Amino acid sequence: MRSRSEKDTWRNWAGTVTARPVREARPASVRELADTVRSAAREGLRVKTVGTGHSFTSIAATDGVLVRPDLLTGIRRIDRREMTVTVESGTPLKRLNVALAREGLSLTNMGDIMEQTVAGAVSTGTHGTGRDSASVAAQIRELELVTADGRVLTCSEKENPEVFAAARVGLGALGVVSALTFAVEPVFLLTAREEPMSFDRVTSEFDALHAENEHFEFYWFPHTGNCNTKRNNRSAGPPAPPGRVSGWLEDEFLSNGLFQVVNSLGRAVPATVPAIARVSSRALSARTYTDVPYKVFTSPRRVRFVEMEYALPKETAVDALRELKAMIDRSPLRVSFPVEVRTAPADDITLSTASGRDTAYIAVHMYKGTPYRSYFTAAERIMTAHGGRPHWGKLHTRDAAYLAEVYPRFGEFTALRDRLDPDRVFGNDYLRRVLGA
């Protein structure tokens, strides 16, 4: 067996997690994946699957067998009568979105990046923003799961429904997802309206802005009273995508290139951050454009950062955000990244962050390499006071005792885990903390 070395070290996108597995596996079929799990279990090794590493936590880290699903990709089938698509678990969302658009189809909602694999995205509860349409996982109609004993389970509302209820956001704790079937619809157009708005206005009108738009989100720039809002609504067309030059200026130069420079300056000289924030918050102008969904929902994210996000009862979000602003205003903190606010309707997934309640998400970020613990600790104190649920793939300090209080069905999930993986073949330190031993 090859000895472990630096080249065998796995790192996540943000550089917050490293792992040195005993070996890696790249199964090319469900049968090979099941064989990988069985052989690891016989050797007493733990198994974790990694996608593109976009989780900030160590949810995918292992010292056992690291499964890379890059050969488990592609669309298995499209069912136009049922309006579903079945896709291999290692398929990047970007490839799925492009392939669906070619077929005249689309997911109903999606997050704001599409670099993740489909299984990685749903297993951690990836979401966008929506008044009526929920997370990526809520669009699953069926899934295929390889369990700790190498069995392959098909799970849906009709077949293994108790597993289906939990495994749509399964944290990698119940097995390895090998395929997913999503509900799709005929491709449609979205019109995005991006508009600067004051913090006071967006918070006072938050309920109305949410009610009046299919998809509403906003970013608040700390050290300022400025926000940038985005409203996405279905459109009859015609398509009117951003111009090549104006799109490059907004999405690449300002949102990535210049943003990288100003964050680097802020990291080197923290005292400059408030002044930079005032300029940055006014750099993005109002614009409107119309395009197919994935081109409207998602944006390139090339500036690396660390992130913590909490899901709050929607009715508490404005109070929590105002508390966050007051905390930053009176503290010596210097925060160069905007705070992101999105929403989701209640869903019925056991450990979804929106399980059983209409939800608003508040996400805080810091530029990679900038000290973040003081900021995140203070923000987390505010979020947990409002019964917040941390995003499973983003930084947080919560443990099983806390999570059992904010998830009414927490015990249902852990009991299922005990049944499907009693020997913790899929366990790791992160799951031990958030689910208990």
Side-chain angles (χ1 to χ4, degrees):
M1 181 181 295
R2 186 180 63 183
S3 62
R4 289 182 292 179
S5 64
E6 182 64 21
K7 68 180 180 179
D8 298 311
T9 300
W10 173 82
R11 290 179 174 81
N12 68 341
W13 178 84
T16 54
V17 179
T18 60
R20 299 187 69 187
V22 168
R23 64 174 180 265
E24 294 185 1
R26 282 187 161 86
S29 67
V30 177
R31 176 176 292 182
E32 288 184 15
L33 175 59
D35 288 343
T36 297
V37 172
R38 274 192 294 266
S39 63
R42 282 195 301 268
E43 295 175 61
L45 297 174
R46 295 186 292 185
V47 179
K48 299 305 295 181
T49 304
V50 296
T52 53
H54 270 268
S55 290
F56 298 88
T57 67
S58 56
I59 192 168
T62 187
D63 57 2
V65 177
L66 190 75
V67 176
R68 293 188 181 270
D70 46 304
L71 300 180
L72 294 170
T73 62
I75 292 176
R76 284 190 186 179
R77 63 182 175 274
I78 294 173
D79 187 329
R80 292 184 183 274
R81 184 174 64 83
E82 296 294 330
M83 289 303 287
T84 61
V85 58
T86 301
V87 61
E88 303 285 350
S89 59
T91 307
L93 281 167
K94 183 174 184 176
R95 285 178 56 187
L96 174 60
N97 286 329
V98 171
L100 286 176
R102 283 201 208 103
E103 296 288 338
L105 301 169
S106 177
L107 296 172
T108 298
N109 199 355
M110 59 194 76
D112 59 6
I113 65 169
M114 52 180 177
E115 306 307 315
Q116 313 102 308
T117 61
V118 290
V122 301
S123 295
T124 54
T126 293
H127 62 90
T129 190
R131 180 191 61 203
D132 310 305
S133 54
S135 69
V136 181
Q139 299 170 69
I140 297 172
R141 295 296 173 263
E142 185 176 284
L143 63 86
E144 186 178 83
L145 186 74
V146 177
T147 60
D149 57 5
R151 288 181 300 148
V152 180
L153 295 182
T154 299
C155 308
S156 67
E157 289 184 348
K158 295 181 179 178
E159 191 172 358
N160 296 304
E162 74 288 353
V163 181
F164 181 69
R168 283 175 286 170
V169 180
L171 318 185
L174 305 177
V176 180
V177 174
S178 52
L180 292 158
T181 299
F182 293 100
V184 292
E185 58 179 301
V187 71
F188 53 94
L189 293 173
L190 283 175
T191 292
R193 179 182 172 190
E194 298 177 2
E195 180 184 7
M197 194 176 291
S198 72
F199 180 90
D200 289 341
R201 181 184 167 192
V202 77
T203 51
S204 64
E205 297 180 12
F206 177 69
D207 287 339
L209 289 163
H210 172 265
E212 293 166 3
N213 295 281
E214 293 176 75
H215 309 275
F216 173 70
E217 64 185 301
F218 69 95
Y219 296 85
W220 164 61
F221 294 82
H223 311 294
T224 80
N226 303 324
C227 297
N228 199 48
T229 64
K230 185 176 182 181
R231 286 169 269 192
N232 299 331
N233 290 286
R234 296 195 183 214
S235 169
R244 182 173 299 179
V245 174
S246 62
W248 176 86
L249 180 66
E250 292 271 350
D251 296 326
E252 288 295 343
F253 179 70
L254 293 177
S255 297
N256 284 290
L258 185 59
F259 194 48
Q260 175 84 52
V261 172
V262 299
N263 273 278
S264 297
L265 175 60
R267 182 177 63 186
V269 189
T272 63
V273 167
I276 290 172
R278 288 190 289 272
V279 174
S280 298
S281 66
R282 293 186 174 92
L284 297 173
S285 58
R287 63 172 178 166
T288 300
Y289 53 95
T290 301
D291 214 329
V292 294
Y294 80 89
K295 294 183 179 181
V296 174
F297 283 129
T298 67
S299 303
R301 294 281 186 267
R302 310 196 200 287
V303 181
R304 303 219 173 191
F305 55 86
V306 293
E307 181 178 0
M308 180 177 73
E309 181 181 67
Y310 265 80
L312 307 179
K314 181 180 155 292
E315 64 273 13
T316 70
V318 168
D319 286 344
L321 187 62
R322 286 171 175 158
E323 291 170 30
L324 182 68
K325 183 177 187 300
M327 180 275 291
I328 293 173
D329 288 346
R330 67 174 180 264
S331 78
L333 293 169
R334 295 293 178 262
V335 181
S336 61
F337 249 83
V339 174
E340 183 180 23
V341 180
R342 294 176 288 174
T343 66
D347 63 42
D348 63 350
I349 304 171
T350 311
L351 290 189
S352 164
T353 47
S355 182
R357 70 187 192 192
D358 291 341
T359 294
Y361 296 93
I362 298 179
V364 297
H365 315 68
M366 285 292 265
Y367 181 53
K368 183 182 176 183
T370 304
Y372 64 86
R373 293 189 187 278
S374 295
Y375 176 36
F376 283 17
T377 297
E380 190 171 41
R381 191 175 298 120
I382 293 168
M383 303 305 160
T384 55
H386 290 278
R389 299 167 175 171
H391 188 296
W392 297 109
K394 300 178 183 179
L395 296 175
H396 67 92
T397 65
R398 300 299 89 189
D399 61 13
Y402 174 87
L403 295 164
E405 293 179 356
V406 296
Y407 282 98
R409 300 171 67 187
F410 188 84
E412 178 184 328
F413 187 96
T414 55
L416 180 64
R417 183 193 187 204
D418 287 341
R419 177 162 68 83
L420 292 179
D421 187 17
D423 298 323
R424 302 298 188 257
V425 172
F426 303 115
N428 64 5
D429 291 343
Y430 177 82
L431 293 181
R432 186 177 302 111
R433 171 163 68 88
V434 300
L435 296 178

